Amino acid sequence: MSQAAWQAAIRRRPGMLLIHYNSRHVMEKILTPGEVKIPPQAMVDGSVHAGLDVALGDLREWHVLRAWCRSCSHHATVKPAGLIKRYGKGALFSSVERALFCTSCGRGGPVRLEIHKLPRN
């Protein structure tokens, strides 16, 4: 884990226990300063980012975004660079998901973004 990602996790998750693993080994544990802002039930949403909002600027070049339409189950790969150019690096997934629309059924709103890693070749 990069130091920048670790610091971003500390800033975005106040009052939570963060654990840095290397394989099965615990490398570091920290209880972040501040009060918890996210209700516990929001963390079991089924979303990849699990209710903890991620900014587009947190994505790296090995990340691939996949958008899923909740209405018709259509899915497509989305280029993070295009979203960053349109909404900016500080845009959160929750706001971007509300702005997207499905190219298959044309409906807007219920689109979910998922983060995947590029396969190693």
Side-chain angles (χ1 to χ4, degrees):
M1 171 186 280
S2 72
Q3 195 63 26
W6 183 245
Q7 293 302 320
I10 291 171
R11 282 192 312 275
R12 290 176 188 233
R13 293 161 177 86
M16 301 184 94
L17 175 67
L18 297 181
I19 303 172
H20 174 196
Y21 286 97
N22 183 358
S23 184
R24 293 183 305 176
H25 305 286
V26 175
M27 302 302 288
E28 185 176 1
K29 287 184 182 181
I30 184 172
L31 186 62
T32 59
E35 293 293 320
V36 179
K37 296 179 183 177
I38 300 167
Q41 65 271 19
M43 295 175 60
V44 191
D45 190 19
S47 154
V48 170
H49 45 88
L52 300 172
D53 228 347
V54 176
L56 294 175
D58 293 336
L59 299 173
R60 300 295 173 246
E61 61 272 0
W62 59 83
H63 288 136
V64 176
L65 292 180
R66 180 170 289 215
W68 288 86
C69 177
R70 294 185 185 193
S71 299
C72 70
S73 298
H74 175 250
H75 61 278
T77 302
V78 180
K79 294 181 180 177
L83 292 177
I84 290 171
K85 184 176 179 183
R86 184 171 185 174
Y87 300 106
K89 286 187 175 188
L92 300 175
F93 268 41
S94 58
S95 60
V96 173
E97 286 174 336
R98 286 192 297 269
L100 294 177
F101 66 92
C102 179
T103 56
S104 179
C105 69
R107 300 177 94 184
V111 175
R112 182 180 71 191
L113 288 174
E114 294 181 345
I115 304 170
H116 297 277
K117 290 183 180 179
L118 282 173
R120 290 185 171 189
N121 290 341

